[in-house]
PDB file of all heavy atoms in Angstrom:
ATOM      1  N   ALA A  35       7.865   2.274  15.917  1.00  0.00           N
ATOM      2  CA  ALA A  35       8.045   1.683  17.245  1.00  0.00           C
ATOM      3  C   ALA A  35       6.849   0.840  17.646  1.00  0.00           C
ATOM      4  O   ALA A  35       6.999  -0.256  18.215  1.00  0.00           O
ATOM      5  CB  ALA A  35       8.295   2.793  18.268  1.00  0.00           C
ATOM      6  N   LEU A  36       5.655   1.325  17.347  1.00  0.00           N
ATOM      7  CA  LEU A  36       4.449   0.577  17.687  1.00  0.00           C
ATOM      8  C   LEU A  36       4.374  -0.726  16.901  1.00  0.00           C
ATOM      9  O   LEU A  36       4.019  -1.779  17.457  1.00  0.00           O
ATOM     10  CB  LEU A  36       3.218   1.440  17.410  1.00  0.00           C
ATOM     11  CG  LEU A  36       1.854   0.812  17.737  1.00  0.00           C
ATOM     12  CD1 LEU A  36       1.783   0.424  19.205  1.00  0.00           C
ATOM     13  CD2 LEU A  36       0.723   1.777  17.378  1.00  0.00           C
ATOM     14  N   THR A  37       4.727  -0.674  15.626  1.00  0.00           N
ATOM     15  CA  THR A  37       4.710  -1.884  14.791  1.00  0.00           C
ATOM     16  C   THR A  37       5.690  -2.926  15.305  1.00  0.00           C
ATOM     17  O   THR A  37       5.360  -4.113  15.421  1.00  0.00           O
ATOM     18  CB  THR A  37       5.043  -1.524  13.333  1.00  0.00           C
ATOM     19  OG1 THR A  37       4.064  -0.604  12.832  1.00  0.00           O
ATOM     20  CG2 THR A  37       5.042  -2.769  12.454  1.00  0.00           C
ATOM     21  N   LEU A  38       6.890  -2.500  15.634  1.00  0.00           N
ATOM     22  CA  LEU A  38       7.885  -3.440  16.151  1.00  0.00           C
ATOM     23  C   LEU A  38       7.473  -3.981  17.520  1.00  0.00           C
ATOM     24  O   LEU A  38       7.700  -5.160  17.822  1.00  0.00           O
ATOM     25  CB  LEU A  38       9.248  -2.761  16.234  1.00  0.00           C
ATOM     26  CG  LEU A  38       9.907  -2.421  14.894  1.00  0.00           C
ATOM     27  CD1 LEU A  38      11.215  -1.668  15.116  1.00  0.00           C
ATOM     28  CD2 LEU A  38      10.147  -3.686  14.065  1.00  0.00           C
ATOM     29  N   GLY A  39       6.867  -3.126  18.335  1.00  0.00           N
ATOM     30  CA  GLY A  39       6.416  -3.579  19.639  1.00  0.00           C
ATOM     31  C   GLY A  39       5.297  -4.608  19.542  1.00  0.00           C
ATOM     32  O   GLY A  39       5.250  -5.577  20.312  1.00  0.00           O
ATOM     33  N   LEU A  40       4.407  -4.421  18.584  1.00  0.00           N
ATOM     34  CA  LEU A  40       3.270  -5.323  18.435  1.00  0.00           C
ATOM     35  C   LEU A  40       3.628  -6.601  17.685  1.00  0.00           C
ATOM     36  O   LEU A  40       3.165  -7.697  18.039  1.00  0.00           O
ATOM     37  CB  LEU A  40       2.133  -4.610  17.708  1.00  0.00           C
ATOM     38  CG  LEU A  40       1.395  -3.513  18.470  1.00  0.00           C
ATOM     39  CD1 LEU A  40       0.459  -2.749  17.535  1.00  0.00           C
ATOM     40  CD2 LEU A  40       0.604  -4.104  19.635  1.00  0.00           C
ATOM     41  N   TYR A  41       4.449  -6.469  16.638  1.00  0.00           N
ATOM     42  CA  TYR A  41       4.631  -7.584  15.713  1.00  0.00           C
ATOM     43  C   TYR A  41       6.083  -7.986  15.481  1.00  0.00           C
ATOM     44  O   TYR A  41       6.359  -8.863  14.665  1.00  0.00           O
ATOM     45  CB  TYR A  41       3.980  -7.242  14.360  1.00  0.00           C
ATOM     46  CG  TYR A  41       2.556  -6.767  14.494  1.00  0.00           C
ATOM     47  CD1 TYR A  41       2.188  -5.470  14.123  1.00  0.00           C
ATOM     48  CD2 TYR A  41       1.579  -7.600  15.023  1.00  0.00           C
ATOM     49  CE1 TYR A  41       0.878  -5.033  14.260  1.00  0.00           C
ATOM     50  CE2 TYR A  41       0.268  -7.160  15.165  1.00  0.00           C
ATOM     51  CZ  TYR A  41      -0.077  -5.877  14.780  1.00  0.00           C
ATOM     52  OH  TYR A  41      -1.361  -5.446  14.924  1.00  0.00           O
ATOM     53  N   GLY A  42       7.006  -7.353  16.178  1.00  0.00           N
ATOM     54  CA  GLY A  42       8.408  -7.696  15.970  1.00  0.00           C
ATOM     55  C   GLY A  42       8.725  -9.144  16.277  1.00  0.00           C
ATOM     56  O   GLY A  42       9.667  -9.723  15.723  1.00  0.00           O
TER      57      GLY A  42
END
Side-chain angles (χ1 to χ4, degrees):
L36 181 58
T37 299
L38 291 176
L40 289 170
Y41 309 116

